[in-house]
Amino acid sequence: MSDTATENGAWRLLCTVNGQPVDLQVPAHETLLYSLRERLGLTGTKGSCLEGECGSCTVIVDGEAANSCLLLSPQVQGCSVETIEGLAEGKKLHILQDKFLASGAAQCGYCTPGLIVAAKVLLERNPKPTDDEFFEGMEGNICRCTGYKSICEAVRAAAVEWKRN
Amino acid sequence: MYFQPHTLEEALEIRAKMAADVLPICGGTDIVVAMNRSSRPSANFLDLSHIEHFAEVRNDVGTWILGGGATFAQMGKMPVECLARAAMTVGGPAIRNRGTIAGNLGTASPAGDGCVALMAMDAEIELAHATRGRRTVPIADYFTGFRKTALQPDELITGVRFSSDWRTAWYKIGKRGAINISLVCCAIGIGRSGEARIAFGCVAPTVLRARIAEGIITQRGFSDAAVEEAAQSAMREVAPIDDHRSSAAYRRAMCGVLARRLLRQLRDRPVARGDAA
Amino acid sequence: MSDSISTFSLLHSQFASIEVDAPSKALIDPSRTPYGESTRGPVGSNARRIDGVEKVTGTALYGADLFFDRADLFAQVVRSEIAHGRLVGINSEKSLKVPGVVAIYTAKDAPGTNRQGLIHRDHPVLVEDRILYRGDAVAIVVAETEQAAQQGRDAVEVDYEKLPVIATMDDALAPNAPKLHLDGNIMGGKRIRKGDADAALDASDLIVSETFVTQTVDHAFLDIEAGIALWDGHHLTIHVSGQWAHEERRLIALALGLPIESVRVICPATGGAFGGREDLSIQVYLGMVALRHSNKTIAMRYSREESMRARHKRHSLRIHYTVGAMEDGTITAAKITVYSEEGAYASTGPAVLRKAASHATGPYRVPNVHVDVYGVYTNNNPTGAMRGFGACQMAIAYEGMMDRLARQLSMDRRELREKNLICSGEAVTTGQIIPLATGVECLDAAWQQFERGAGKEKPLAAHQRRGVGMSVICFGLGYGDGFPDASRATVKFAPSGRLEVYTGGVEYGQGLITIMAQIAAEELGLTTNEVDVIWADTHRTSESGSSSATRQTYFTGNAVKIAASELREQVLDAAGRLIQVHQHEVDLVGGFVVGRFDPQIKRPLREIVAAAAERGFDLTGQGIFKPRTVCEDFDTGQSPRSFITYLFGAHIAQVVVDIETGEVRVERFIACHDVGKAINPQSVEGQIVGGATQGIGMALMEEVVMKEGRMLNANFTDYILPTFRDVPEIETVTLENDDPGGPFGARGIGEPPLIAATPAVLNAIGNAIGVMPHTTPCTPQRVWELMNPELALVSSGVRMLGLPDHARMAR
């Protein structure tokens, strides 16, 4: 059974975002980044290069990192999407968020959501990454402010205390 | 219109009916970049990302078989040196998770890292049509011009296959350590009987093999003299241009450097069946 | 304390006489600096960023985040398709037919001066007639959705009359070149005349010359220009990130013909700037549309391509540098001619020329200096402020010359530097005496750190070479040169009891508001958790000058300190009156008013503040910091005090070069900076590592590529920024040699780390391959060309800025 769009180019997007079901009419050609930010108001995920070169738009789709600026929303039909907004539990910060704060790894903060999400995927798969595995997991994210040192420190500190869920 | 079939048969039917009026999209990592750069979105999409088994990777008695939807992340884990290395130099993990081999072959950029690696292993591209069925095109015949391929407008790229017998090597020159567009890239494959395939990216309108250089190695092996002659020949066989990324002179010289370096690497690496890196 | 003295002398009057040369240690309060400042609070600690939680949870609202649920109309700008020419006509017919498009505005609709420009108002907001670069704005399209605005923008038809493109400085300086501005193609110049350079060169044992070319750099901050504006009939409120809210307000008001007091600028959370937000971006476009659509929130954002295409860039400099020296390594003279590409408009160009000139010989003792810096207009992007501001390009030159000199003299590169670095009490290029010059100390500390980690290098392959390079730089902070430079701040208690700091300064990730909170908290005996900072809102905050020129720590830090200490005096006075105690006998510690000698006195600060407020006490501290600098002499460029203070730094880079491909990897990097006092050591380190990374980017990979006025790489695929894999874990060494004029002895840190990094990498490459680089960035191709000059060919098709072609260069 194939899903097709209606004549006016709209798509009924059915998926979960941060554990919540989403049922939303979107233009079929709309990027996931746009839908998350401008329709669901989840402005934590950022757009910057809009070509998959900087990772500011990183989200998690079915457990894997993805650039939301390069995904058309229909492509996540039936998928589970996680964004930065899904990490903290109320006021309780996720360990990565806490370590980023402790290390001063958020300077201007614009790359931070994408970085934290990418780090989350990395550590969930592999809580004790080698240096190579660390770079493989993080190399898709650019930071213009920090020079990466404080970010590495934060992710390593989180890895030390990581508990598998 | 936006089509998201769950079976390949449905996808082929839609493609056969609409041909060039529908744009196949799988990972989207090339297509959506182009869309973001222009304000006019493409009219009709054929989304292949929800087709079961489209991303399959398997080895069948010495032949690697990849479904069109196989991602760079998957290729990065394969014990195939040139393809795995090429895949791991593509973007970052998020790109690798979505970008597909069919997409790389469909875009047919002369800088396509996956294409260059496949070229070094005489890969065969499987193209399918709803009623005409499947056909395979040797990769050497697949690229017909700048961003042009043998794919018919009513066909889809459904898979790629190549032998596990190749011993391969890969190098890509970029301007930084990650997320690189190649300045020049090179993949070399040596077959079971010593036949050489020397493939380059970014030095011609398509991915290119340096056939005379290949012949030198195939016939004479890996002596210092043969390697040197092959490297010199490679430099003459490529047709690089000056562009905003690099100059023709540099790219030409690098073809020689990479051919020499990778041939020596293959010569000095212990011979083993398959390609355990 | 006074008690203990009187007891002491009473006791001892009964005994033999005592020697009182050395003051008793008991009389020294260890929680105070030698200047009597408190240091037991947050100053000097790694206080967490006060805006940190919003940033790690994604709840901070940057410009584009304000659109959701607020935007009523969307605007997009039509940009010129030509780099030089005239606007002949605009046809909006097709555009107005695009569903959702509401209006199109051009220069004839501009209500005010229609001019912008930080120093000269030479840049039309919307083109009236002349087009000078391919980013000039021709029209604004307004629509009900963003997509309609984009489609409407693409449907506007524009007629141009093309004129020949001045693509390079050589084109601009050619005899019959078309004039880009009224006075021609030279924007102006700056000179230094100190001693007699020609005579000194003649008398030198050795003369070394080189031509350096530095590239056009983009700021590439991640937070693309975006924001909203609303006109309610009385006030125009603009939410767009900038670097100087109050100046932006003035410029917007003038451009739009509005009374200045009716414009309000509020900076949202800002994702990086690096000088790239000093010029106006979208503010006037938004304002113009808002004025025409009362009570509608107008939203606008750039794409990455538009952001790169429209925005000003770092000046590309061509530096002809000649140095004279004696055989023993003493430098005698420097003669320098600089051509600085200004692009289409002046922007902050005149100030950049100035800073380049005044830093032309860096931290070295050069008794005879002859400098001419010329600004040259072209039809490329206007060039303006970017971290380093002219001093960074000059550092590439003078540090490159030091290595060349060392080579010619067969002298150790470090020894040559130490011999010629100025000592405290000596003068820099402008003749200003530097009371505390710590270049040698920084260099020594950097080498100590280097030696600590040496010997762990991995073995190299046959095609690899390792090289080590160093740099020493100095940098004057603040605007300098007599330009009005002041910062004002207010510190007070909110009715809730929380401490509030008001500053016009912009926080864009450097950690400004956190250190202001630390300074204020220190004065009032509080923690930063009890402080709120209200910043960059022209209706609520006083003017603190721009967040640029490495000035905020010093200027606004001082203003906040003055304001906070004023408030502290007021609180202590109030406490004295309320508790009936002498105000000098109480102190503010840990949120309490405590007796300094009587432990019984302890009252919660909140209580005192509330009681004082009730009694009508004024508890508002105002701080104004307005130090004096002196203009540089027009003819000689000399000034006794061009900059309020100077910063010193030294870097060491260790690189591995693939000598066949030219690829360079930075293997190890040490950055040492003398910051006076690290108010927040973690933020200082963050600035050092971040700035050095940008410097490495400038050394190896970043460049804007133009061809006949068209930008070929206006995207992140081809404008290459450093990634995780491109920088090692940068080792930082922070020196704290107190600056008597800085808040708690602090100077600043923003720009020096970038300035010192690029030359260190270049010198390391030179050390590795045996050929000195002279053109940035050192991409693999350029490094290969240095090693294979006979194989390098320059095709005339693409004029990549900075490719060496000495024969063509004007001198």
Side-chain angles (χ1 to χ4, degrees):
Chain A
M1 143 80 184
S2 89
D3 302 292
T4 53
T6 56
E7 278 313 302
N8 63 7
W11 179 271
R12 186 178 174 199
L13 179 64
L14 295 162
C15 63
T16 64
V17 176
N18 297 327
Q20 300 299 313
V22 163
D23 183 348
L24 190 67
Q25 288 277 96
V26 300
H29 62 261
E30 188 167 281
T31 62
L32 179 61
L33 176 67
Y34 192 95
S35 302
L36 287 170
R37 290 176 51 83
E38 315 298 341
R39 301 207 189 271
L40 297 176
L42 296 170
T43 57
T45 308
K46 307 298 181 200
S48 185
C49 75
L50 305 176
E51 1 191 277
E53 292 278 331
C54 74
S56 302
C57 67
T58 308
V59 296
I60 307 177
V61 177
D62 284 350
E64 287 189 338
N67 290 325
S68 60
C69 77
L70 294 187
L71 276 171
L72 300 182
S73 286
Q75 289 183 286
V76 301
Q77 190 77 350
C79 298
S80 114
V81 178
E82 284 174 72
T83 70
I84 185 71
E85 287 91 346
L87 259 73
E89 283 162 27
K91 291 234 159 185
K92 182 166 184 292
L93 294 178
H94 188 276
I95 187 173
L96 274 166
Q97 290 170 316
D98 189 60
K99 295 305 180 192
F100 264 65
L101 282 174
S103 295
Q107 286 188 23
C108 87
Y110 203 79
C111 72
T112 305
L115 260 163
I116 290 180
V117 166
K120 179 174 190 259
V121 173
L122 168 69
L123 294 181
E124 264 172 5
R125 288 239 160 129
N126 184 358
K128 304 277 174 245
T130 61
D131 279 347
D132 257 332
E133 288 164 340
F134 172 84
F135 286 130
E136 262 172 42
M138 304 299 295
E139 66 185 350
N141 289 77
I142 298 250
C143 173
R144 188 53 162 161
C145 296
T146 66
Y148 303 104
K149 184 177 180 181
S150 52
I151 297 168
C152 293
E153 192 188 294
V155 178
R156 281 201 200 106
V160 164
E161 294 178 28
W162 195 263
K163 291 179 183 62
R164 273 191 199 272
N165 290 341
Chain B
M1 299 183 84
Y2 193 99
F3 302 97
Q4 193 175 73
H6 288 248
T7 67
L8 191 52
E9 285 63 47
E10 279 178 82
L12 287 169
E13 265 170 48
I14 295 165
R15 181 65 156 163
K17 194 160 53 158
M18 298 185 70
D21 284 339
V22 77
L23 185 61
I25 182 173
C26 197
T29 55
D30 278 334
I31 288 172
V32 186
V33 171
M35 284 170 65
N36 285 344
R37 286 186 184 176
S38 91
S39 69
R40 196 156 296 113
S42 200
N44 301 308
F45 292 99
L46 175 55
D47 179 355
L48 307 173
S49 66
H50 282 57
I51 295 177
E52 280 191 86
H53 306 306
F54 196 49
E56 186 177 69
V57 172
R58 63 191 172 90
N59 190 301
D60 187 16
V61 201
T63 302
W64 284 104
I65 301 169
L66 277 61
T71 65
F72 285 105
Q74 289 173 274
M75 288 184 266
K77 296 192 184 106
M78 293 171 66
V80 180
E81 172 84 359
C82 65
L83 188 61
R85 279 190 183 254
M88 292 311 285
T89 61
V90 170
I95 295 273
R96 296 193 283 266
N97 286 335
R98 306 298 303 197
T100 63
I101 194 62
N104 211 231
L105 289 164
T107 300
S109 160
D113 299 313
C115 301
V116 176
L118 291 175
M119 193 67 117
M121 299 186 290
D122 274 1
E124 294 186 322
I125 319 297
E126 183 184 86
L127 307 174
H129 182 272
T131 54
R132 296 197 303 269
R134 286 160 203 248
R135 63 189 181 107
T136 55
V137 176
I139 192 166
D141 302 331
Y142 174 75
F143 301 103
T144 57
F146 180 67
R147 294 186 177 243
K148 287 187 164 54
T149 69
L151 177 73
Q152 294 300 306
D154 53 3
E155 288 177 319
L156 289 175
I157 303 164
T158 50
V160 168
R161 58 178 63 206
F162 52 89
S163 156
S164 346
D165 270 353
W166 295 93
R167 288 192 305 124
T168 62
W170 161 269
Y171 197 86
K172 167 170 166 174
I173 300 177
K175 286 187 181 173
R176 64 181 171 188
I179 328 176
N180 266 316
I181 290 283
S182 301
L183 292 178
V184 185
C185 60
C186 177
I188 298 188
I190 307 294
R192 201 208 274 251
S193 324
E195 63 270 35
R197 300 286 179 266
I198 301 175
F200 292 103
C202 314
V203 291
T206 67
V207 171
L208 182 79
R209 274 169 54 186
R211 288 176 189 259
I212 302 172
E214 290 173 354
I216 295 171
I217 302 296
T218 303
Q219 279 145 42
R220 291 162 49 190
F222 289 87
S223 68
D224 276 350
V227 166
E228 190 52 38
E229 262 185 61
Q232 295 294 326
S233 177
M235 286 202 284
R236 287 190 295 268
E237 294 181 69
V238 296
I241 55 166
D242 291 319
D243 68 12
H244 58 286
R245 290 182 185 144
S246 192
S247 74
Y250 175 74
R251 286 176 160 134
R252 191 180 297 280
M254 288 307 105
C255 290
V257 167
L258 294 188
R260 186 183 304 113
R261 190 180 290 187
L262 294 182
L263 284 169
R264 284 197 188 142
Q265 226 180 73
L266 283 163
R267 174 187 66 195
D268 300 336
R269 193 195 296 166
V271 180
R273 191 172 148 69
D275 237 339
Chain C
M1 234 191 274
S2 46
D3 272 336
S4 50
I5 293 172
S6 51
T7 313
F8 181 87
S9 32
L10 255 176
L11 277 173
H12 282 78
S13 62
Q14 301 167 37
F15 299 98
S17 64
I18 317 124
E19 284 165 5
V20 286
D21 299 85
S24 165
K25 285 236 154 63
L27 301 177
I28 297 171
D29 183 345
S31 70
R32 296 199 170 265
T33 69
Y35 295 89
E37 299 157 329
S38 160
T39 57
R40 86 190 129 224
V43 165
S45 79
N46 295 339
R48 285 198 179 188
R49 298 266 174 126
I50 61 177
D51 55 354
V53 174
E54 299 123 66
K55 288 177 175 174
V56 299
T57 55
T59 53
L61 294 177
Y62 301 82
D65 302 332
L66 301 172
F67 291 12
F68 179 71
D69 249 9
R70 285 168 86 162
D72 296 313
L73 291 172
F74 295 83
Q76 286 285 308
V77 171
V78 179
R79 304 247 170 219
S80 169
E81 285 301 321
I82 64 168
H84 187 204
R86 304 204 118 82
L87 177 64
V88 169
I90 301 175
N91 187 345
S92 336
E93 213 185 301
K94 283 198 185 129
S95 180
L96 287 166
K97 290 204 178 106
V98 171
V101 169
V102 157
I104 293 166
Y105 301 116
T106 63
K108 63 171 169 42
D109 304 307
T113 64
N114 191 38
R115 287 290 181 280
Q116 59 192 341
L118 277 172
I119 297 179
H120 303 310
R121 316 276 181 251
D122 61 342
H123 190 171
V125 178
L126 288 174
V127 169
E128 290 158 2
D129 170 37
R130 293 289 308 275
I131 290 168
L132 290 176
Y133 83 113
R134 215 171 153 267
D136 267 328
V138 166
I140 306 173
V141 175
V142 187
E144 287 160 356
T145 67
E146 202 172 5
Q147 191 177 20
Q150 288 163 346
Q151 286 171 351
R153 172 200 67 201
D154 294 343
V156 171
E157 292 167 323
V158 185
D159 273 322
Y160 303 99
E161 180 203 319
K162 282 190 187 176
L163 291 172
V165 174
I166 310 269
T168 66
M169 289 199 285
D170 289 323
D171 289 344
L173 296 170
N176 293 310
K179 278 187 174 181
L180 295 180
H181 286 273
L182 276 175
D183 290 341
N185 295 337
I186 298 203
M187 184 195 77
K190 187 72 171 73
R191 42 193 274 165
I192 306 272
R193 298 285 186 270
K194 184 178 177 186
D196 187 341
D198 284 322
L201 284 171
D202 280 339
S204 303
D205 290 335
L206 172 76
I207 295 181
V208 179
S209 289
E210 180 62 274
T211 296
F212 298 89
V213 179
T214 73
Q215 79 277 43
T216 306
V217 187
D218 186 79
H219 311 79
F221 42 74
L222 294 187
D223 173 18
I224 310 181
E225 292 90 336
I228 59 173
L230 178 69
W231 166 251
D232 64 4
H234 302 286
H235 285 106
L236 175 64
T237 306
I238 297 190
H239 299 256
V240 171
S241 294
Q243 289 182 238
W244 191 352
H246 289 79
E247 179 70 0
E248 282 140 28
R249 174 203 211 193
R250 287 185 281 266
L251 293 174
I252 294 164
L254 294 172
L256 291 175
L258 283 175
I260 293 174
E261 61 265 25
S262 66
V263 176
R264 179 178 184 182
V265 172
I266 303 174
C267 281
T270 301
F274 322 115
R277 300 192 202 265
E278 280 196 38
D279 283 328
L280 291 179
S281 60
I282 59 175
Q283 295 93 331
V284 180
Y285 310 134
L286 278 171
M288 206 167 119
V289 176
L291 288 172
R292 294 243 172 184
H293 301 268
S294 289
N295 295 303
K296 296 257 188 239
T297 297
I298 317 296
M300 178 172 176
R301 66 179 145 198
Y302 286 169
S303 63
R304 176 58 58 181
E305 193 208 335
E306 186 172 11
S307 172
M308 292 188 69
R309 194 174 146 190
R311 184 177 52 255
H312 66 278
K313 302 280 170 269
R314 184 195 288 292
H315 289 68
S316 158
L317 260 54
R318 194 161 72 209
I319 305 166
H320 304 284
Y321 210 114
T322 298
V323 173
M326 305 310 277
E327 255 178 52
D328 70 351
T330 309
I331 296 175
T332 55
K335 191 163 182 194
I336 307 154
T337 306
V338 181
Y339 294 94
S340 169
E341 180 165 358
E342 294 303 326
Y345 300 100
S347 176
T348 43
V352 172
L353 298 189
R354 237 190 335 104
K355 203 139 199 185
S358 56
H359 287 73
T361 54
Y364 295 102
R365 182 185 310 112
V366 186
N368 301 284
V369 184
H370 178 120
V371 180
D372 283 303
V373 184
Y374 302 109
V376 182
Y377 289 117
T378 63
N379 290 127
N380 293 321
N381 286 56
T383 51
M386 186 170 177
R387 196 173 186 177
F389 211 79
C392 101
Q393 298 93 318
M394 296 312 293
I396 290 170
Y398 62 72
E399 281 304 284
M401 294 311 289
M402 292 308 284
D403 266 26
R404 284 163 172 79
L405 256 180
R407 189 182 252 226
Q408 296 276 66
L409 292 167
S410 301
M411 203 169 157
D412 178 76
R413 298 171 292 160
R414 178 179 173 183
E415 203 188 304
L416 178 69
R417 284 177 168 82
E418 302 211 345
K419 191 183 178 65
N420 289 287
L421 282 167
I422 60 166
C423 303
S424 298
E426 290 189 290
V428 286
T429 317
T430 55
Q432 178 173 349
I433 305 284
I434 308 302
L436 187 63
T438 55
V440 175
E441 196 183 330
C442 287
L443 186 58
D444 287 344
W447 276 107
Q448 255 181 49
Q449 176 63 23
F450 181 81
E451 264 128 36
R452 236 173 252 137
K456 299 183 192 144
E457 294 90 29
K458 297 195 186 114
L460 296 176
H463 56 256
Q464 293 178 317
R465 297 284 181 277
R466 187 171 274 124
V468 176
M470 77 196 93
S471 69
V472 189
I473 63 105
C474 70
F475 186 69
L477 67 78
Y479 305 142
D481 198 16
F483 192 89
D485 197 349
S487 203
R488 296 165 193 82
T490 305
V491 182
K492 63 198 228 198
F493 282 101
S496 62
R498 288 179 66 78
L499 188 66
E500 288 183 333
V501 177
Y502 290 78
T503 167
V506 176
E507 163 72 64
Y508 45 65
Q510 77 279 50
L512 170 73
I513 59 176
T514 303
I515 64 173
M516 297 312 149
Q518 285 175 262
I519 290 170
E522 181 76 50
E523 288 290 324
L524 276 306
L526 296 168
T527 68
T528 53
N529 293 333
E530 298 160 283
V531 184
D532 294 315
V533 178
I534 296 94
W535 57 278
D537 177 340
T538 55
H539 266 37
R540 297 176 72 194
T541 60
S542 39
E543 174 143 22
S544 307
S546 62
S547 286
S548 71
T550 311
R551 61 180 288 288
Q552 286 290 5
T553 298
Y554 203 91
F555 282 74
T556 300
N558 265 322
V560 169
K561 184 162 187 289
I562 291 165
S565 62
E566 280 294 288
L567 179 61
R568 179 190 148 82
E569 289 286 318
Q570 290 164 7
V571 168
L572 290 177
D573 176 51
R577 292 197 235 174
L578 291 166
I579 309 175
Q580 194 61 20
V581 67
H582 194 291
Q583 74 181 74
H584 292 161
E585 290 175 13
V586 283
D587 202 351
L588 302 180
V589 181
F592 288 89
V593 176
V594 300
R596 292 170 71 203
F597 315 111
D598 180 358
Q600 303 284 8
I601 300 174
K602 188 173 179 178
R603 301 275 213 285
L605 177 59
R606 278 188 187 220
E607 208 181 274
I608 299 294
V609 167
E614 221 177 298
R615 299 258 283 267
F617 285 72
D618 181 19
L619 289 181
T620 303
Q622 307 266 31
I624 303 173
F625 184 70
K626 224 181 188 180
R628 177 180 181 242
T629 61
V630 180
C631 281
E632 291 162 20
D633 180 272
F634 183 80
D635 285 313
T636 63
Q638 304 295 288
S639 159
R641 198 193 210 193
S642 182
F643 292 97
I644 184 74
T645 194
Y646 269 77
L647 297 125
F648 287 80
H651 287 192
I652 297 175
Q654 180 174 293
V655 304
V656 173
V657 182
D658 182 324
I659 55 169
E660 291 177 342
T661 65
E663 289 166 299
V664 176
R665 187 167 51 87
V666 181
E667 197 176 38
R668 219 184 140 202
F669 199 95
I670 290 109
C672 175
H673 287 274
D674 186 349
V675 302
K677 168 83 184 164
I679 307 264
N680 185 316
Q682 191 179 70
S683 284
V684 166
E685 189 181 57
Q687 286 292 86
I688 294 176
V689 175
T693 299
Q694 288 187 349
I696 289 169
M698 187 172 175
L700 296 178
M701 58 192 78
E702 294 185 41
E703 79 185 307
V704 173
V705 182
M706 304 293 291
K707 179 180 179 179
E708 296 303 306
R710 173 185 282 264
M711 194 177 297
L712 298 184
N713 62 338
N715 56 66
F716 275 10
T717 298
D718 283 312
Y719 187 83
I720 315 287
L721 296 172
T723 67
F724 273 95
R725 291 194 192 261
D726 293 298
V727 288
E729 202 172 285
I730 292 172
E731 301 159 58
T732 65
V733 180
T734 305
L735 301 182
E736 291 183 297
N737 288 300
D738 188 284
D739 187 303
F744 299 96
R747 287 192 193 85
I749 186 60
E751 291 167 277
L754 193 162
I755 296 170
T758 309
V761 175
L762 260 46
N763 286 343
I765 293 171
N767 182 245
I769 66 176
V771 183
M772 296 302 300
H774 46 65
T775 298
T776 49
C778 290
T779 56
Q781 179 187 323
R782 286 218 178 84
V783 174
W784 175 80
E785 285 170 352
L786 281 172
M787 295 186 286
N788 299 282
E790 73 288 356
L791 295 176
L793 291 166
V794 178
S795 153
S796 59
V798 176
R799 268 152 147 184
M800 288 176 73
L801 259 185
L803 271 179
D805 192 350
H806 291 71
R808 286 187 313 150
M809 283 174 182
R811 280 193 173 255

